[in-house]
Amino acid sequence: MTDTTTTRHIPDRLNSRAVRIFKSWEALLLAVAIAIFVVNSFASPYFLNAWNLSDATFNFTEKAMIAFAMALLIISGEIDLSVASIIALASTAMGLAMQHGAGTPELVLIGLTVGLLCGAFNGVFVTFFGLPSIVVTIGTMSLFRGISYIILGDGSFSGYPSSFSWFGQGYIYWVFTVEMLLFVIIAVIYAVLLHKTNFGRAVYAIGNNPTGALFSGIRVQRVKFILFLLTGLMSGVAAVCLTSRLGSTRPSIASGMELEVVTMVVLGGVNILGGSGTIPGVVIAAFVMGLVTFGLGLLNVPGIVMSIFIGLLLIGVIALPRLWAMAAARRNA
Amino acid sequence: MMRFIPVREAILGSAILILIILVASRFAGFVAPSNLANVFNDTAPLIILALGQMVVILTRCIDLSVAANLALTGMAVAMINVAMPGLPIPVIIAIAVLMGGIMGAINGVLVWKLSIPPIVVTLGTMTIFRGIIFLISDGKWVNSHEMSAAFTGFPRAVLLGLPVLSWIAIITVITFGIMMARTQFGRSIFAVGGNPHAAVYTGINVGKTQFWAFVVSGALAGLTGYLWVARYAVAYVDIAGGFELEVVAACVIGGISIAGGIGSVGGAVLGAIFLGVVKNALPVVNISPFWQLAISGSAILIAVAFNARSGRTKGRIILKSAEATQ
Amino acid sequence: MTPHAAPATPSAVVSMDLITKTFPGVKALDQVKLDLYPGQVTALVGENGAGKSTTVKILTGIYQTDGGTIRIDGDPVTFGTPNDAAKAGITAIHQETVLFDELSVAENIYIGHAPRNRFGLIDTAQMHRNASKLLADIGAPFSSHTQLRDLGIANKHLVAIARALSVDARVVIMDEPTAALSHKEIEELYELVETLKAQGKAILFISHKFDEIFRIADRYTVFRDGGFVGDGLIAEITEGDLVSMMVGRSVDQIFPDRAREVGEEVLKVVGYSHPTEFADINFDLKRGEILGFYGLVGAGRSEFMQALFGITKPSKGVCRVNGNIKVMRSPADAVENGIVYVPEDRGKQGAVIGLPIFQNITLPSLGRTSRSGFLRLAEEFKLAREYAERLDLRAASLDQDIGNLSGGNQQKVVIAKWLATQPQVIILDEPTKGIDIGSKAAVHEFMAELAAQGLSVIMVSSEIPEIIGMSDRVIVMRDGLIAAELSGDDVTPELLVRHAAGITTQTEGAPQ
């Protein structure tokens, strides 16, 4: 271009992989997780028990399944607050089908399909009509659960076939549950999707600059629509697991879970404003939340008080690094 | 001089009227003044909270902690009342407003000084506040027989034909009408939400305005906390659970843009009244109250779709021929 | 530089002395000085990155200085907040008008200092009376009750000026106020500047347009790379000297010499129309050709280019690529058909800030660097390096966030991104806007090189020298229509301006 005879060599990277990992949010979070684990194992003699630990995973597996899809959605700059309501609707649909004699395969298919349809409904409003996802999903949050209430009122469905209980109550081997297996499989799928594929790259690009991504030839609306579908589908999967585990459906099922899912995602280091975050981070956050709930539970701390801890954790993990940076800046000045 | 009633509010107002007329055609008693007064009184807490939420949303924030704030303040004043039955009601109200305001200030500081996204902050404080209720109450209920008569009687006392609760809502609406239109703070709120970048240049401190918006929202939540607990004469951990979303819904239905800067007191009030009318009308026309959630969900979707359509910015018209036909 | 002997110079209202401002890693201002005099227009001149906007932000209290003194009427002051600056009588009218769409004109004028009634509430009646008077004084053709969002850019400027008058400002900063205005609106703005001068206001005028500086400024101050270069009276300096002060060397803008050989037709556009933005656009483009699109700001050039790139949909019209009809429903379609677009708004539309350089470059080429949808980083780095080095990108590493690059280097990444897709047609929308003169020449040279390699280039530009120096052919647009197609000796400044402004032989006939 100019009269430079030798082209300047630009290195690929300045920091080695090890340095980047060490400095990452995930490393910090992992340290927190290990600390909680250690503290818990000292605090309660019942903590380090394979069966207890196995039971404890139910605290997070279903939420985490949704959280993985939600992580991608939030990275792309959108959000879905209707996930818990999708569970309610999907579970209600399964209950209805069960009353009409559907077997386990049909029930699963119906649960997943309803999830997918709900995701598509959100996706159409957000991508086709161009409405803000936070408002749309606050609306569908009421709508989906509202339909459950219309169908069930204050009643409930129960009496699911015994083979259906495999998803939420079954074990693969020793203490390893079916849900754990699902959790691992889904985590791997989403990690690969986000970090190793063109689709994942598009998600990051959209989250950082949707206009720039569009102007770079990315089909932004299509990607977002798929993300809503995936989140709906994962809610369907969670609905199958939760319904199977509880063995019954009430319209209030999974209420408030959307906020726990978002908390898990944000705790996992995903920027609520979009553009950054990783699946390993969400995995660790899932364990942190699970361990906290479990550990405090062993100490007979009621669930609602644990939520104080989760709330503090959510704000603290974001606030502390910022306070630290502010203090550092003041010291330098 | 006169500014016409904005289209958004007019349409929402007509929708409410049509709804009332439809209900009245099935059951004339619904439009009896006493019943309408009841509906209004029932909606008063939602109106008060929607106004606080409106201020927050206008500054491009959101406050999901209002219901938890309400419940915590409600529990606290109920317990204070149990411990000190003689404490006069004005003091109780002052405590409630102050407590709520402080909780709002906590949200505000985190947003202002640490720049943490408001949705994260209030999601966090929402769970924390709820948890604290459990801590201070030990999970127990405060029941009506434990509360003093003055405590529970105040919001229900009738003054000029309306309960005090209704009057408080009316006063709040008037105060907000004046505040939003005629004070520096009110106009700054629109400026901060409409164009934060420009607000800085006109000497408005964006973070500080957002802070005060949270304080206002918190203080109103605190006030409503006392009114709620006194009116229903019971306080427990889960009161007003999920109510924050109804409050946001009232704002969205009232045409307050979640992106900030656009909205009005009239809109927020009408949005709340719409939800209130739906809630009270359902049993009258023999529709199961279980329909309410789905109806308000649909109303949110319709409202946001409608507002997006009417608020779409017009593209530049370059062609003369196109300009002529406009 | 020549020290100026200013006869009968009044004492400065504002004088900035030895002002220094440092950001992490950058010294934005290094001991600069700037004096503003009552009743005079001082032009602040400098390339991008010279420190002009930092100076404005310091004067308006957005930034605080790290060193040096600001004096008002000789007394040292410090501006801790924008309010302090406003109280000192300093007000700014910004590049993109920064006001509030949802508020009325009167509220925009008086936000922060509205008249109050005895209850301490805003006295709306009084506010509208005052605003109406101010608007009448500057000849604004709209009411104080108008919602700001209903006004065009020129009228928004008037609101900003009325605001400046309402605070009884002594110092008015105008930061590229004419950037988005039409010819006629610019003239009206000049008249207003004269009015402000006559009222004894000190005006700081920031502009990249030399004709404008020599038209309305009384004095100049030149910054370069955050440092002070010189100041003086406009009457005592030539355009050439000012430019060489600005760039630190004498620059006769030289455009690359190119062999103008063009090949077969690559792109043919027939009857492209849009409901409101453009109509009946016809042209063809040949291999290796540079086709210039000239016009005033707002003539519909970018709007048309974005339709060609699939961002918006034309209401009718056909586009042929290599003779085959193609429909561009999205940019992805356009890229597939070998048409790429380097937008004017680099920060928002061009670069994906937040992603590293190599990911920006490979974003549209992932199909080639990946295998069945799975990323291959090694391939990505290889492709990114190839194009980054070809464009002589200056960056610490390819893994660096594109947001940390200078404007010129960001532009290189955006161009690299598109070249990596091996396009047939590249549309460059104001490719050298906002980049320094050195990078400009490099972009021009590169453009010529691309054309020589057989790429067809469409260049949208509002700069006449660039249009004349680079284009093989020029299409002039006005009000959304093609006003003229010029080539060869017809491409002269006079003809370009005539067609762009719609000036007929006798009188001006271009009402806005």
Side-chain angles (χ1 to χ4, degrees), chain C residues 24 355 435 476 480 488 496:
Chain C
L355 287 193
I435 64 177
V476 183
L496 287 173

Side-chain angles (χ1 to χ4, degrees), chain C residues 97-272:
Chain C
T97 315
V98 286
L99 290 162
F100 310 104
D101 276 346
E102 286 300 311
L103 302 186
S104 73
V105 166
E107 284 174 332
N108 267 288
I109 294 173
Y110 280 103
I111 189 150
H113 58 278
R116 310 290 182 93
N117 64 16
R118 63 203 145 98
F119 305 111
L121 298 177
I122 293 170
D123 187 339
T124 14
Q126 184 66 37
M127 181 171 78
H128 279 287
R129 271 198 300 278
N130 295 356
S132 302
K133 188 174 171 305
L134 284 173
L135 292 171
D137 285 351
I138 58 173
F142 48 85
S143 133
S144 66
H145 291 277
T146 318
Q147 289 276 302
L148 192 79
R149 92 183 94 118
D150 297 331
L151 297 180
I153 292 179
N155 283 337
K156 284 183 180 173
H157 273 309
L158 292 181
V159 176
I161 289 166
R163 178 174 169 81
L165 295 173
S166 76
V167 293
D168 204 22
R170 304 173 61 202
V171 179
V172 180
I173 300 168
M174 298 183 146
D175 193 353
E176 299 212 43
T178 60
L181 300 190
S182 72
H183 191 64
K184 181 163 161 275
E185 289 164 343
I186 290 175
E187 286 301 323
E188 286 167 0
L189 184 87
Y190 289 165
E191 281 172 32
L192 210 61
V193 171
E194 293 298 330
T195 317
L196 293 176
K197 266 173 75 173
Q199 293 179 2
K201 315 245 182 249
I203 295 162
L204 178 63
F205 196 90
I206 296 175
S207 174
H208 281 109
K209 301 180 187 164
F210 276 83
D211 53 341
E212 173 165 298
I213 291 168
F214 279 86
R215 163 95 188 264
I216 65 163
D218 303 297
R219 298 174 163 272
Y220 64 88
T221 293
V222 183
F223 286 1
R224 185 171 66 230
D225 300 329
F228 173 81
V229 179
D231 59 8
L233 293 171
I234 283 287
E236 294 170 1
I237 193 166
T238 65
E239 204 165 308
D241 288 342
L242 201 53
V243 172
S244 51
M245 281 173 80
M246 233 173 96
V247 299
R249 57 189 182 271
S250 89
V251 179
D252 285 319
Q253 226 177 347
I254 295 172
F255 291 94
D257 238 356
R258 7 194 318 263
R260 308 197 172 200
E261 287 170 29
V262 292
E264 74 279 19
E265 180 185 289
V266 175
L267 177 72
K268 187 174 183 67
V269 172
V270 183
Y272 248 49

